[in-house]
Amino acid sequence: MGSRLTSTRQGRGLGRCECKDTCDLGSCLNAVLGIECCKASCNLSGESAKRCGNRQFVQAQRGQLDSCVEIFYTGVEKGFGLRALCKFEVGQLVAEYLGDVISQAQLRSHRYAMALKAGVVIDASTA
């Protein structure tokens, strides 16, 4: 493992991860806590930052995942869908789904909604 899963600034916030070779769920404190690495929180910098496996939203914002997915029209009933063109690893980010988190009772249309848990959905119709 590349890290001891400890913070370098104990008692003053999380600080940087202590990863040496790569950051992933098995070695990076940030990944274990569900926090994406960034310049301020990752021990890997410069060219080594490319080996950080805990920067999926940054990669998505830079368009690095665009070639791995395709938007397609499924028909009048369902609208548009997203399909994978590449193999994704378990837990890897495929797409960010934006919208308001609301209760099922507040939902006006099921067209752009994704269920999170019983009674709670993301309503993407306003995003």
Side-chain angles (χ1 to χ4, degrees), residues 50-89:
K50 293 178 182 176
R51 293 192 312 271
C52 178
N54 188 32
R55 297 185 187 205
Q56 295 185 58
F57 282 100
V58 170
Q59 293 170 345
Q61 288 173 342
R62 290 183 181 154
Q64 294 171 339
L65 300 177
D66 291 353
S67 62
C68 290
V69 294
E70 173 185 53
I71 298 171
F72 68 101
Y73 186 66
T74 64
V76 181
E77 292 292 317
K78 299 282 185 175
F80 290 90
L82 185 73
R83 70 174 142 226
L85 301 174
C86 303
K87 182 178 180 182
F88 284 92
E89 300 296 323

Side-chain angles (χ1 to χ4, degrees), residues 57 61 95-101 112-114 122-127:
F57 282 100
Q61 288 173 342
E96 183 178 12
Y97 199 83
L98 301 174
D100 297 325
V101 177
Y112 298 105
M114 180 175 72
I122 296 177
D123 178 11
S125 67
T126 59

